[in-house]
Amino acid sequence: MPDGLDQVTVSLGRLHTLVADLQHQAADCRQQLHAAREREEAQFRQSMDAMFQEHRRRMELALRPAIVRAWQVVAAAAGVLILMFAGSLLLLKQANERLSAAQARAEAAEVDAQVQEAARHVEISSCGGRPCIRIDRSAATWKSEGREYVLVGD
């Protein structure tokens, strides 16, 4: 039986060599697959980067007119707002001038009304062709700027 044992030993040696060769081939295949995967990943990254850059360039070209229009709209809106603000200021100035003029007229009318009210208490006549008034010497007087006035009315 030593012959059979030698054959088994030789067969086991061949089997061990075959397994070692297969393991070596599997390791080589793994390394080749890993290298191929890394090359493919690098190629994929480059392709994706190129596609992204092209997509970005196309988007910028497509959006450029819209961005220009948006800025034009913003500028036009700002211009309209500035014109409206200037117009409002002009209208406010005119309204203020009208109010001031109306206040001045009202004050003048008030003074005129006071003068007319006072004139109702004074008798104006003609004395030898010259105007004259009749006043009550016992009435109270008012002094202003070195002159003396007789208070007329209540």
Side-chain angles (χ1 to χ4, degrees), residues 16-37:
H16 181 63
T17 305
L18 182 63
V19 167
D21 286 344
L22 287 174
Q23 285 177 340
H24 182 63
Q25 285 178 358
D28 286 345
C29 283
R30 273 194 303 268
Q31 286 177 350
Q32 288 173 358
L33 283 173
H34 183 69
R37 188 180 86 220

Side-chain angles (χ1 to χ4, degrees), residues 23-135:
Q23 285 177 340
H24 182 63
Q25 285 178 358
D28 286 345
C29 283
R30 273 194 303 268
Q31 286 177 350
Q32 288 173 358
L33 283 173
H34 183 69
R37 188 180 86 220
E38 285 181 355
R39 281 192 307 272
E40 289 294 322
E41 284 178 359
Q43 254 183 342
F44 179 73
R45 281 190 204 114
Q46 288 175 350
S47 296
M48 289 302 291
D49 188 44
M51 281 178 30
F52 175 74
Q53 294 298 330
E54 178 63 20
H55 180 70
R56 194 179 99 227
R57 186 187 66 78
R58 286 183 182 177
M59 289 297 291
E60 285 175 356
L61 288 175
L63 290 176
R64 188 170 291 144
I67 291 171
V68 168
R69 278 191 302 269
W71 278 111
Q72 288 172 342
V73 167
V74 167
V80 166
L81 288 174
I82 289 170
L83 285 175
M84 289 175 60
F85 182 70
S88 297
L89 287 178
L90 182 62
L91 287 174
L92 283 173
K93 181 182 177 216
Q94 288 177 348
N96 190 34
E97 289 172 355
R98 287 181 182 174
L99 179 63
S100 296
Q103 284 175 339
R105 284 192 307 270
E107 289 172 1
E110 187 176 326
V111 168
D112 285 347
Q114 289 173 353
V115 168
Q116 287 178 359
E117 178 68 24
R120 288 191 317 181
H121 298 286
V122 174
E123 186 177 323
I124 300 175
S125 181
S126 176
C127 301
R130 298 184 68 197
C132 60
I133 61 169
R134 187 172 60 93
I135 59 170

